Amino acid sequence: MKGRILDVRDYRLLVDLGGGLDGLVHLSEVSWSRGVRPQDAGKRGDEAEVQVLRVQPSTRKDRHGRVSLSIRACQQDPWETHAEILREGHAQKGKVVRTAEFGAFVELAPGVEGLLHISELGGKNLTHANQVLKDGEEIAVLVERVDRGQRRISLSRLSGADAEALESGSLELSVGRAP
């Protein structure tokens, strides 16, 4: 349904659905992409397309009740849009979007990220992925596992020779490569 944005805060949007009914869009329901803030989704007075997720009736404690809304539910799911890259054994270049102690998150397509575990980065004394990779760096990776239920992708890093072969279009992966 369509609504009008009444208020924008750090972690939510308040949307007027009409007829005196307002609902909240939580930060996690603004977009499929990581890092999108409510301020990026719209400003006060803008029209927004939302889906009602949940209606909690009023109680003694909360006499108005609550309506939970989602903007992202009205958008195309990137896991469906980019299904061709979400298969085990697929190799491509991706951009490092975030590093952590346990590895690096690599964006394969807008809204689709995979984890490159720190064990894939070489070196036994690594304590953080930023010792090897930097945010924004482009690297060649291979999709090892895809868990659609948990929306998780496990990646491995391609060797220098494999990365060059990928770049030239001559990289051939064996069909049985993925576990």
Side-chain angles (χ1 to χ4, degrees), residues 18 26 35 45 52 72 77 93 109 116 128 133 144 155 166 171 178:
H26 186 269
V52 177
R72 118 181 150 161
D77 183 348
K93 286 197 167 218
L116 180 63
H128 199 284
L133 298 171
E144 289 287 339
L155 302 172
L166 176 65
L171 179 66

Side-chain angles (χ1 to χ4, degrees), residues 23-139:
L24 290 175
V25 178
H26 186 269
L27 170 69
S28 63
E29 291 296 330
V30 170
S31 174
W32 288 102
S33 297
R34 210 180 282 274
V36 176
R37 303 170 321 203
Q39 298 88 331
D40 302 330
K43 61 185 182 313
R44 200 174 194 173
D46 286 353
E47 191 173 89
E49 187 173 344
V50 296
Q51 179 176 325
V52 177
L53 298 178
R54 187 174 49 255
V55 177
Q56 293 176 315
S58 59
T59 62
R60 289 176 65 206
K61 186 176 182 181
D62 182 8
R63 66 176 202 240
H64 298 292
R66 292 196 177 156
V67 178
S68 298
L69 304 172
S70 175
I71 292 175
R72 118 181 150 161
C74 300
Q75 301 169 344
Q76 184 72 30
D77 183 348
W79 279 56
E80 292 174 16
T81 306
H82 302 289
E84 72 281 356
I85 65 171
L86 297 176
R87 57 182 168 72
E88 296 171 357
H90 173 76
Q92 75 170 66
K93 286 197 167 218
K95 183 174 77 172
V96 175
V97 291
R98 204 170 69 243
T99 57
E101 291 178 1
F102 51 85
F105 290 93
V106 178
E107 183 181 56
L108 303 175
V112 179
E113 296 176 4
L115 175 65
L116 180 63
H117 193 269
I118 196 165
S119 63
E120 292 285 332
L121 299 177
K124 296 176 183 156
N125 298 325
L126 288 179
T127 58
H128 199 284
N130 67 6
Q131 292 173 291
V132 178
L133 298 171
K134 302 294 176 227
D135 288 358
E137 184 176 343
E138 198 169 271
I139 59 170

